[in-house]
Amino acid sequence: MATNTAGNMAGSIVSQKQLRASFLRWTALTVPGMLLLGFGAAQLAPTGKSNAWYAALNKPAFNPPDWVFPVAWSLLYVILGIALAMILNARGARLRTPALIVFFAQLIINLSWSPLFFGLHQVVFALVLVGLMFGVTMLMTILFSQVRGLAAVLLVPYLAWLLFAAYLNYEILALNPGVETLAPGSTTTQIIAT
């Protein structure tokens, strides 16, 4: 069967109002879901000043204050949730399923970074993970552009942030020889098992 411009099967009658309502329903699930997953992963290990290991590290000159990270990630998770809702709402689109598979692969990588860096102190592997995340997100952006162009445009700030995160990760590695073996302070910084 052929598809129409809304990505629906030809012959089905779906109004713009119904499409918007469907998108809003998806958004009501995906945005809070992304925020919960993101902040849940961040809770596995203390970050910022509450992490004695991280607080003791030499930071690059462009390292933002601690409050910037939760604000930036909140905005990025909202954007990712909206972009995901656009793709989920594009039923019948040719590359929808591959786009969703790559999105969830990217999400698993994303959620692994904070525990790897802050909890396990694996700065080299965290840098590799950021590079992998950037590459997978580029692929995701290409696939999203084939499904919904605006969804791909929404990913541009995320790609920019990943480049910045890679820079910070690299600089921390360069400024702190033996960073992965530095002893944490009296407060544990390891992953919290629940």
Side-chain angles (χ1 to χ4, degrees):
M1 283 187 130
T3 59
N4 61 26
T5 57
N8 299 303
M9 299 306 287
S12 68
I13 301 172
V14 179
S15 71
Q16 288 298 324
K17 186 177 180 181
Q18 290 170 316
L19 288 172
R20 275 192 298 275
S22 176
F23 168 69
L24 291 174
R25 283 191 298 273
W26 278 120
T27 304
L29 292 172
T30 58
V31 170
M34 288 299 302
L35 288 166
L36 286 171
L37 286 171
F39 288 109
Q43 295 306 306
L44 293 174
T47 60
K49 291 178 185 169
S50 61
N51 184 309
W53 170 80
Y54 178 75
L57 297 178
N58 294 316
K59 315 285 188 313
F62 293 107
N63 198 67
D66 286 346
W67 66 267
V68 170
F69 294 100
V71 170
W73 277 110
S74 294
L75 292 172
L76 292 170
Y77 284 133
V78 167
I79 289 169
L80 284 170
I82 293 169
L84 175 60
M86 292 174 132
I87 301 305
L88 288 167
N89 199 46
R91 280 179 267 153
R94 186 173 58 89
L95 293 175
R96 178 180 181 253
T97 300
L100 291 171
I101 290 169
V102 174
F103 177 89
F104 288 108
Q106 167 282 139
L107 183 60
I108 290 167
I109 298 167
N110 175 305
L111 299 175
S112 302
W113 186 89
S114 190
L116 185 67
F117 182 89
F118 289 106
L120 298 174
H121 310 159
Q122 295 298 311
V123 181
V124 172
F125 290 128
L127 181 57
V128 170
L129 202 62
V130 170
L132 179 62
M133 195 182 333
F134 183 82
V136 172
T137 302
M138 282 296 298
L139 175 59
M140 181 176 76
T141 303
I142 292 165
L143 291 170
F144 275 30
S145 74
Q146 300 301 306
V147 178
R148 289 287 184 266
L150 183 55
V153 171
L154 287 173
L155 298 177
V156 171
Y158 182 47
L159 287 165
W161 183 260
L162 292 177
L163 287 174
F164 183 60
Y167 161 76
L168 292 176
N169 197 145
Y170 173 79
E171 286 296 315
I172 285 174
L173 186 61
L175 293 170
N176 298 277
V179 65
E180 295 175 344
T181 60
L182 294 177
S186 59
T187 308
T188 183
T189 60
Q190 300 304 311
I191 291 180
I192 302 165
T194 54

